[in-house]
Amino acid sequence: MNGEPGDSEAGDQQREAVREDWAGRALHWDRHADMVAEPAERLNQPLIEAADIQPGQTILDIATGSGEPGLTVAKLVGANGHLTMSDMVPEMIAGAERRANDLGLTNIDYMIADMADLPPDANLYDRVISRFGLMFCPNKKKAVSEAFRVLKPGGRATWMVWGPKSNNSSFAVIDGAAKKIFGTDNPKLEFDLPFSLSENGALETLLRDAGFETEGEQDIKLHPKLPTDRPFWSAMVDMAVGRPRDAATEGDRAAFDREVEARFGDLIKDGRYHIDMHARICSGVKLA
Ligand SMILES: C[S@@+](CC[C@H](N)C(=O)[O-])C[C@H]1O[C@@H](n2cnc3c(N)ncnc32)[C@H](O)[C@@H]1O
């Protein structure tokens, strides 16, 4: 125990709530995962570059969800390398396994594990990577220490987290519309946890405290301009709030859809949606 909030009863409750939430979202994610694979690459690539992934390496992808960025990494490390995809929620990792099988990837194994409590063997991996998972963990310090422990000496861990919600326009729109129509007390809506490491330097501090050698955080800011001939946000809405939307009355569902469309409409300039995205990356090396 290291005295983090995550080690308390409240931490246990948060962990169970997160587990239940993601188990319930798994089908919503799986049905869109292949379709959003291409835009996902825009965020995978800087993470993969920062992690310095090379053929033949042994990699652990933590909180892999439906398989990002693991599936791209499995192709990169090739037949002489190996990827372990891990997630706390079996329903989520089932989607990653389905996608890996569809792609014919055979250099992967699957591990159900809380990132703050990995299996006991140490010094296993050349690289640990994780995209958009650490924010959900109630004991983040323990999770980063676990990554340190399972890395080989000289290995590198690379984490990607969201920057502030206000710099991520799609989240801000969906969040605002959901809170307005479904209410702020809906337990299925969690729009603050994904931004719990959005403050500049928060991620690097966690890595340094765990013993990693770091070289600062990298800001990834993307500004896609998207055509207005189709609602590009449908998949995002379903992945983010598909459950409460499904559970809402028909009237609330229609009101929510109108609200989302109107709020995205406010982002149209010169006939295109102007979207802002902001993520942060930090790598840490476990000195040999
Ligand atoms: C936003 S999804 C990210 C999935 C994928 N990496 C991506 O970027 O698309 C968050 C994932 O974190 C997983 N997760 C949440 N808390 C976790 C924990 N304590 N240990 C392991 N996985 C966790 C969830 O089950 C979910 O699959």
Side-chain angles (χ1 to χ4, degrees), residues 15 18 22 29 61-69 86-89 92 113-116 130-133 135-138:
R15 192 173 302 101
V18 166
W22 283 103
W29 275 57
D61 181 12
I62 287 178
T64 195
S66 331
E68 304 295 347
S86 104
D87 200 285
M88 180 172 77
V89 176
M92 286 300 289
D114 181 347
M115 65 176 88
S130 188
R131 198 187 94 147
F132 303 138
M135 309 88 75
F136 297 96
C137 186

Side-chain angles (χ1 to χ4, degrees), residues 109-180:
D109 68 30
Y110 304 89
M111 179 166 88
I112 309 297
D114 181 347
M115 65 176 88
D117 189 15
L118 297 177
D121 287 346
N123 305 331
L124 295 174
Y125 304 102
D126 298 305
R127 298 286 183 267
V128 172
I129 51 173
S130 188
R131 198 187 94 147
F132 303 138
L134 184 57
M135 309 88 75
F136 297 96
C137 186
N139 35 3
K140 299 172 178 50
K141 284 187 186 173
K142 180 82 190 314
V144 175
S145 302
E146 285 290 84
F148 189 90
R149 181 176 66 76
V150 300
L151 268 176
K152 293 178 189 169
R156 172 187 289 254
T158 304
W159 305 82
M160 180 178 253
V161 300
W162 288 116
K165 193 193 302 178
S166 54
N167 292 352
N168 283 286
S169 40
S170 295
F171 282 120
V173 162
I174 297 168
D175 177 24
K179 282 186 175 148
K180 179 171 172 189

Side-chain angles (χ1 to χ4, degrees), residues 82-111:
H82 190 80
L83 171 71
T84 299
M85 283 179 151
S86 104
D87 200 285
M88 180 172 77
V89 176
E91 291 87 343
M92 286 300 289
I93 215 167
E97 189 166 0
R98 175 197 64 75
R99 296 180 71 205
N101 290 337
D102 288 352
L103 292 166
L105 295 168
T106 53
N107 57 347
I108 304 178
D109 68 30
Y110 304 89
M111 179 166 88

Side-chain angles (χ1 to χ4, degrees), residues 41 43 48-49 98 101 122 136 140 168 177 239 260 267:
E41 275 309 303
L43 292 163
I48 286 168
E49 206 173 298
R98 175 197 64 75
N101 290 337
F136 297 96
K140 299 172 178 50
N168 283 286
M239 290 162 94
V260 167
L267 304 180

